[in-house]
Amino acid sequence: MMTLKVISRLLEYPSEALWLHRDELIEALEQADELPITRAIQLMMFVREYLNEELLDMQAQYCELFDRGRATSLLLFEHVHGESRDRGQAMVDLMAQYQQYGLQIDCRELPDHLPIYLEYLTVLPTTETVGGLQDIAPILALLGARLKQRESRFATLFEVLLELSNSEIATEQLTEKVALEARDDTPQALDAVWEEEQVKFFADEKNCGGEVTAHQHRFANAVTPQYLDLGSSSHVGVQK
């Protein structure tokens, strides 16, 4: 599913390679047939507008959006298990699924990172791909609602993912619920989390503007992008 492959790329940490391959992403969407034409055009507009921005600015915004607080984390099990022990077993089970298809990720990376999971779904038969999206549809809907509340352009990608999942989720009610949530990405909320957990993950990184960001430490090399092999629907960028 080419559209899913493109969205996986767009949800990765912004890289120079992504910016260099913008035309290839557009070409892939033009050839894909999974979406209605209006939605496909919307997605192509997202690619053009997003990749027309300055890379460094988008890297900073990405960190602010996805790496501050847990509400918009792209770690799927963050929204299911939190910090419970069940999360570890869920990670093991997910890795086993990847390995069944000969897919491997760097041992330092987390298999529940959404772009990696989407990469995995692209190698499955279509019915299983849709089933995999349905499995995470409630998370996709929740993230989409929170991103929409924050007026983030990325909300569009989650709308497309929900459409591809063929899930029927009452997003209107979810939007109302999200509107009542307290933000967890404010300085006060973040300070409270760090004080409670007393964990310091990255000793050398003070903010997203550092020479090497915290996000790069967490997700660097998780996926080696081959970008889009338009002649093969089974080619993925997960390290093998």
Side-chain angles (χ1 to χ4, degrees):
M1 188 177 289
M2 189 61 70
T3 300
L4 200 61
K5 192 185 293 286
V6 171
I7 294 176
S8 172
R9 296 288 181 266
L10 295 172
L11 286 174
E12 293 171 354
Y13 179 77
S15 66
E16 184 177 355
L18 181 65
W19 260 241
L20 291 174
H21 287 271
R22 71 183 74 188
D23 292 339
E24 191 174 343
L25 296 176
I26 294 294
E27 182 183 352
L29 291 173
E30 290 174 343
Q31 296 184 21
D33 59 0
E34 299 95 0
L35 294 172
I37 185 63
T38 53
R39 183 66 85 178
I41 291 173
Q42 184 183 20
L43 190 52
M44 285 187 277
M45 289 178 60
F46 175 96
V47 174
R48 291 192 178 96
E49 293 173 0
Y50 176 47
L51 299 183
N52 195 47
E53 302 280 2
E54 291 294 330
L55 174 59
L56 291 178
D57 291 342
M58 293 304 97
Q59 289 175 336
Q61 288 186 23
Y62 188 97
C63 287
E64 290 288 329
L65 187 61
F66 295 121
D67 291 341
R68 289 174 62 90
R70 293 174 173 171
T72 55
S73 171
L74 294 182
L75 297 174
L76 295 172
F77 295 150
E78 187 80 59
H79 305 283
V80 180
H81 302 296
E83 297 301 323
S84 73
R85 293 183 179 181
D86 293 338
R87 185 174 184 177
Q89 185 60 51
M91 293 280 196
V92 172
D93 294 342
L94 186 56
M95 284 295 296
Q97 292 182 42
Y98 293 168
Q99 291 169 359
Q100 287 179 3
Y101 285 85
L103 306 181
Q104 297 180 353
I105 62 174
D106 190 284
C107 63
R108 297 169 297 175
E109 312 309 332
L110 299 177
D112 64 332
H113 190 219
L114 179 58
I116 297 175
Y117 181 74
L118 296 179
E119 282 280 347
Y120 158 67
L121 293 183
T122 65
V123 306
L124 304 180
T126 301
T127 55
E128 294 182 30
T129 298
V130 173
L133 286 173
Q134 290 175 349
D135 288 342
I136 63 169
I139 302 174
L140 297 175
L142 180 62
L143 287 171
R146 287 170 173 167
L147 291 168
K148 187 174 181 179
Q149 182 198 36
R150 300 183 188 194
E151 300 181 345
S152 168
R153 71 177 83 209
F154 283 95
T156 296
L157 300 186
F158 288 84
E159 291 174 1
V160 174
L161 288 173
L162 275 179
E163 191 163 335
L164 290 172
S165 75
N166 296 327
S167 298
E168 297 181 1
I169 295 179
T171 55
E172 296 81 4
Q173 296 179 2
L174 190 56
T175 298
E176 294 175 1
K177 180 180 178 181
V178 165
L180 300 176
E181 291 181 338
R183 292 280 292 263
D184 71 345
D185 60 337
T186 64
Q188 295 82 1
L190 291 171
D191 286 345
V193 170
W194 298 135
E195 289 174 5
E196 178 182 352
E197 297 184 353
Q198 295 184 354
V199 175
K200 188 175 183 182
F201 290 103
F202 308 105
D204 298 329
E205 282 67 45
K206 302 303 183 183
N207 53 56
C208 287
E211 182 178 355
V212 180
T213 68
H215 182 91
Q216 287 171 306
H217 273 302
R218 292 174 71 186
F219 301 116
N221 302 318
V223 175
T224 304
Q226 305 300 321
Y227 284 85
L228 305 168
D229 182 353
L230 301 182
S232 173
S233 60
S234 63
H235 178 83
V236 297
V238 180
Q239 291 180 349
K240 298 185 178 181

